[in-house]
Amino acid sequence: QRQMCIRDRTVVISNPLGEDFSIMRTLPLNGMLTSLSTNYNRRNKNVKLYELATVYIPSDNEEELPTESVDFTLGFFGDGDFFTMKGVVEEFFEKIGMHEKEKYDPDAGKTYLHPGRQANIIYDGKVVGYLGEIHPEVADAYGIGERAYVAVIDMPEILPLSLIHI
């Protein structure tokens, strides 16, 4: 609950290049949805994309710098559904050495995802990301004319749990 509130706040850039660049992103989805939209409008079929995106979480203390985090974002439209994306997440976890069974909490509460087709991803008792179908109104706003799915994985949360060491 608290994480959702924090990510609703933004970090304002004091000297932006323009209005479109006046805040630092707190969610990685704009870039992914823009890329899915571009592919949809170019009539590409069965598009599957990924992105590593830096997001900035504001501190409760306005004097402190925001926390930087890297999110691994997956997105697709075409062949597949919610369970396809769930399988991709599970295979990713398996490949990086996270062999315990993940759990899913359907009460993710993401307003930009379809209310009945979303879940937080829970691993070792921690929320490490979420997945779901993009809400139809959001997909429409981006010009994506079919069901699209995303998963967002919090890399700082999963790296200590994996076999990958940086």
Side-chain angles (χ1 to χ4, degrees):
Q1 182 77 338
R2 179 168 165 66
Q3 183 180 20
M4 191 170 81
C5 293
I6 288 174
R7 290 195 179 210
D8 286 346
R9 294 189 335 233
T10 59
V11 178
V12 179
I13 298 173
S14 59
N15 191 13
L17 295 173
E19 187 178 335
D20 289 345
F21 303 101
S22 63
I23 60 171
M24 300 174 90
R25 67 178 166 185
T26 58
L27 291 170
L29 290 181
N30 182 55
M32 178 57 69
L33 293 176
T34 299
S35 295
L36 289 172
S37 173
T38 299
N39 279 278
Y40 179 80
N41 289 305
R42 290 184 179 159
R43 296 187 172 93
N44 291 325
K45 306 282 185 225
N46 300 319
V47 172
K48 295 169 179 65
L49 303 172
Y50 74 92
E51 175 185 21
L52 283 171
T54 302
V55 294
Y56 302 88
I57 314 303
S59 170
D60 288 335
N61 179 351
E62 291 184 17
E63 300 298 317
E64 290 182 21
L65 292 173
T67 301
E68 287 185 45
S69 183
V70 176
D71 285 345
F72 179 46
T73 308
L74 304 161
F76 82 87
F77 65 81
D79 290 343
D81 58 15
F82 176 88
F83 297 102
T84 305
M85 182 60 84
K86 184 174 171 269
V88 170
V89 168
E90 290 171 1
E91 184 175 352
F92 172 70
F93 284 177
E94 183 69 27
K95 295 284 186 193
I96 65 170
M98 294 171 61
H99 302 299
E100 291 182 32
K101 182 72 177 133
E102 52 285 310
K103 296 178 182 172
Y104 298 91
D105 177 7
D107 295 324
K110 309 290 186 209
T111 57
Y112 42 86
L113 296 178
H114 190 292
R117 300 180 190 132
Q118 63 174 285
N120 279 328
I121 306 164
I122 301 169
Y123 189 89
D124 196 28
K126 293 188 223 176
V127 175
V128 296
Y130 59 90
L131 73 152
E133 180 183 325
I134 296 298
H135 193 289
E137 290 177 6
V138 174
D140 192 45
Y142 276 87
I144 303 170
E146 62 181 277
R147 291 181 176 182
Y149 302 87
V150 295
V152 177
I153 299 168
D154 187 342
M155 293 303 287
E157 286 291 332
I158 68 162
L159 284 177
L161 303 169
S162 73
L163 295 177
I164 299 173
H165 298 288
I166 297 177

